[in-house]
Amino acid sequence: MAADGSSGSGPGCWERRLPPHSPSGLVVRTVEMHAGGEPLRIVPRLEAGRALPLLSLRREEAAVRDHVRRALMHEPRGHAGMYGAVVLGGGEPDAGGAHLDVLFLHGAGYSTMCGHAVLALGRFALDYGLVAAPSSPETAVRLRCPCGPVTAFVPWDGQRSGNPVRFHSVPAFAVATDLSINIPGHGRAVVDIGYGGAFYAFLCAEQLGLDVCSSKTSDLVHAA
């Protein structure tokens, strides 16, 4: 996968130059997965280690290497629904008990948590041998995410991972309930705001004159 940009060096480098690309060409190796159709583009950065705390590293990536995120998430290599994860670490759990550290990417920037990405990363960790001693019938894969520790529980038959995958996220809580907001094109609506690693607004689609079973997906996405 080639993208315009400059290749970095040292612990922070997660790209390399390969012929016959131009000297300014950027090559990033990825693993492509999906969970129920939701895409995940994984950037294994396992050999680099991590010198900075996870949130500090995220700030550095945004300030110094954001061109890589844009190249991977935006068209023509990505699309409006593309999601990504930069994976660090692997092998034996670190002192904090995590098998992997994860940074989440999307078209608009960097998020703190992603449920479908965690499902895919659990299987990725097992199938790529990043958990030293997986156990049957289920293995706990511990991830350190920007929101905090998240554990995926992945079926394991001794050879490869399987479905269904489940996970325990950080503690969830309600931030606000019955909050009245104005939605352009739809008027006033009442929503609840919840946190489960990221902030989400919940409302009944009927408030927007929509139905989740029969309305066009594009209309639901636009309203959201």
Side-chain angles (χ1 to χ4, degrees):
M1 177 168 295
D4 292 335
S6 300
S7 178
S9 60
C13 176
W14 43 290
E15 64 261 14
R16 56 185 297 194
R17 300 182 191 209
L18 294 175
H21 300 282
S22 69
S24 63
L26 177 67
V27 175
V28 179
R29 297 188 181 276
T30 68
V31 176
E32 308 293 322
M33 297 186 71
H34 75 89
E38 291 284 350
L40 183 67
R41 177 162 289 163
I42 301 173
V43 182
R45 193 179 153 187
L46 305 175
E47 77 287 348
R50 182 171 65 86
L52 295 173
L54 192 58
L55 293 181
S56 297
L57 179 62
R58 187 175 71 161
R59 287 191 291 269
E60 180 185 271
E61 296 294 336
V64 179
R65 281 173 288 277
D66 195 55
H67 62 286
V68 180
R69 176 194 63 80
R70 297 193 301 270
L72 292 173
M73 298 296 105
H74 293 178
E75 292 187 7
R77 301 165 193 88
H79 51 78
M82 180 57 72
Y83 217 91
V86 179
V87 176
L88 305 101
E92 292 293 336
D94 63 13
H99 294 101
L100 300 173
D101 287 358
V102 183
L103 295 176
F104 298 114
L105 320 173
H106 53 72
Y110 303 80
S111 61
T112 54
M113 169 60 182
C114 175
H116 88 265
V118 168
L119 298 177
L121 287 168
R123 295 196 61 174
F124 167 81
L126 291 189
D127 291 338
Y128 278 77
L130 304 181
V131 176
S135 58
S136 297
E138 188 178 66
T139 297
V141 179
R142 292 178 291 277
L143 309 175
R144 182 170 27 236
C145 304
C147 66
V150 176
T151 301
F153 298 90
V154 187
W156 176 253
D157 65 6
Q159 299 293 326
R160 59 172 296 174
S161 67
N163 288 321
V165 182
R166 58 191 177 93
F167 65 88
H168 289 171
S169 187
V170 295
F173 56 89
V175 180
T177 59
D178 298 328
L179 180 67
S180 179
I181 63 172
N182 181 58
I183 302 177
H186 295 277
R188 306 298 296 182
V190 178
V191 303
D192 297 333
I193 308 295
Y195 178 83
F199 292 96
Y200 296 92
F202 297 87
L203 79 163
C204 179
E206 292 178 356
Q207 291 191 65
L208 307 179
L210 300 170
D211 180 87
V212 293
C213 295
S214 61
S215 296
K216 293 180 179 179
T217 301
S218 58
D219 291 340
L220 292 166
V221 170
H222 178 73

